[in-house]
Amino acid sequence: MSVWIAILATAAGCYLVKLLGLSVPAGVLERPLVKKLAALLPVALLAALTAQQTLAEGTVPVLDARAAGLGAAALALLLRAPFLLVIGAAVAVTAGARALGG
């Protein structure tokens, strides 16, 4: 029964957070700082998630083939490669590193 209480509490919390966001006055949302933060926050969260999933195994930091693939993708992005080439480079380097035992 406690699982259902946690699910209902989480659902209510999510609804209240969404309601709080909708109740923010329009003037606050039009401020340049708020607009800039709203544009940059998803990028920062995605980068943090990618780093955590790539460079950690549970709570233990690791450097393996995934890190090599991430490095290849970063290099391809710095060279302004098209997105599909970035993904292809990451996949190829990760697969190569795993094939070599990394």
Side-chain angles (χ1 to χ4, degrees):
M1 189 59 157
S2 63
V3 172
W4 285 106
I5 293 171
I7 291 171
L8 291 173
T10 302
C14 289
Y15 179 77
L16 290 174
V17 167
K18 184 159 181 105
L19 186 63
L20 182 66
L22 292 173
S23 65
V24 174
V28 173
L29 299 176
E30 295 299 321
R31 293 182 183 159
L33 179 63
V34 173
K35 283 185 175 184
K36 189 171 190 173
L37 286 175
L40 295 177
L41 191 60
V43 175
L45 289 173
L46 185 59
L49 179 62
T50 301
Q52 194 278 331
Q53 290 292 312
T54 303
L55 303 174
E57 191 73 39
T59 58
V60 180
V62 294
L63 284 174
D64 58 4
R66 296 175 295 176
L70 183 62
L75 180 64
L77 284 172
L78 285 174
L79 296 174
R80 305 227 183 247
F83 183 69
L84 286 178
L85 188 61
V86 171
I87 300 298
V91 168
V93 169
T94 301
R98 285 188 178 167
L100 294 173

